[in-house]
Amino acid sequence: MIKLIIVITVLGFSSGILAQNAALPQLPKNWSGIVSVTAMGNTYQTKVNSTSKVGEMSFNSFDIPATITILKQEGRHLEFLYRSANYESRYVGTLSMDGKQIQIAYQQGSGSYTLEGNKLSGCGSGRGGKGTFKDWLNSYSTWCEEFTALP
């Protein structure tokens, strides 16, 4: 009798997950917007609006147009292509159960987006730069982005 109760509980839980997955939105493929970046070290060496030296490391900050293309969506699982004038990266993401949050990861960092209608906004951080291991270790950035779905 105990086994029967456990099976019913597991089946009820599984049905709840399947029902939540069915309500996930199919995201628009193309998004356009702007990214604001703040970086320290060698992370970004071109297209910067302001640069100042802090010790031997440089502080950079800039706003730049960017696009996101959703290459693949399989339920909650996403693959993206991000492009700006000075950077291109593929990354993966997972859509929350309610379809309102996306957690992303890419080779140098991670972040999260909030999805509201045709707007996608979020922030994150990354690490890495060009050159030696020391350059990579001493290079990091934060970013915030706002995108609108294209028709």
Side-chain angles (χ1 to χ4, degrees), residues 4-78:
L4 180 60
I5 293 172
I6 292 172
V7 170
I8 292 172
T9 303
V10 170
L11 289 175
F13 178 72
S14 297
S15 298
I17 289 175
L18 294 174
Q20 287 178 339
N21 278 339
L24 290 175
Q26 183 66 35
L27 300 179
K29 182 176 178 165
N30 296 303
W31 301 79
S32 179
I34 191 159
V35 59
S36 295
V37 176
T38 307
M40 184 69 73
N42 297 322
T43 304
Y44 293 95
Q45 296 178 341
T46 60
K47 300 283 186 187
V48 294
N49 292 336
S50 66
T51 302
S52 63
K53 291 285 186 179
V54 177
E56 293 183 18
M57 296 174 51
S58 61
F59 171 87
N60 302 303
S61 63
F62 58 93
D63 298 336
I64 192 168
T67 62
I68 290 177
T69 303
I70 297 179
L71 301 173
K72 186 186 291 185
Q73 179 177 355
E74 294 178 358
R76 298 177 55 213
H77 312 285
L78 305 162

Side-chain angles (χ1 to χ4, degrees), residues 20-21 23-27 73 75-76 78 94-102 113-117 119-120:
Q20 287 178 339
N21 278 339
L24 290 175
Q26 183 66 35
L27 300 179
Q73 179 177 355
R76 298 177 55 213
L78 305 162
T94 305
L95 190 59
S96 64
M97 291 297 227
D98 64 4
K100 295 180 182 179
Q101 298 287 320
I102 300 171
Y113 292 118
T114 299
L115 183 62
E116 294 181 38
K119 302 286 185 189
L120 185 63

Side-chain angles (χ1 to χ4, degrees), residues 2-3 7 12 15 23 29 51 61-62 64 81 83 95 98 101 104 107-108 118 136 141 144 149:
I2 292 175
K3 289 181 182 179
V7 170
S15 298
K29 182 176 178 165
T51 302
S61 63
F62 58 93
I64 192 168
L81 176 62
R83 286 189 176 141
L95 190 59
D98 64 4
Q101 298 287 320
I104 66 163
Q107 189 173 12
Q108 295 97 355
N118 69 340
W136 177 85
S141 63
C144 288

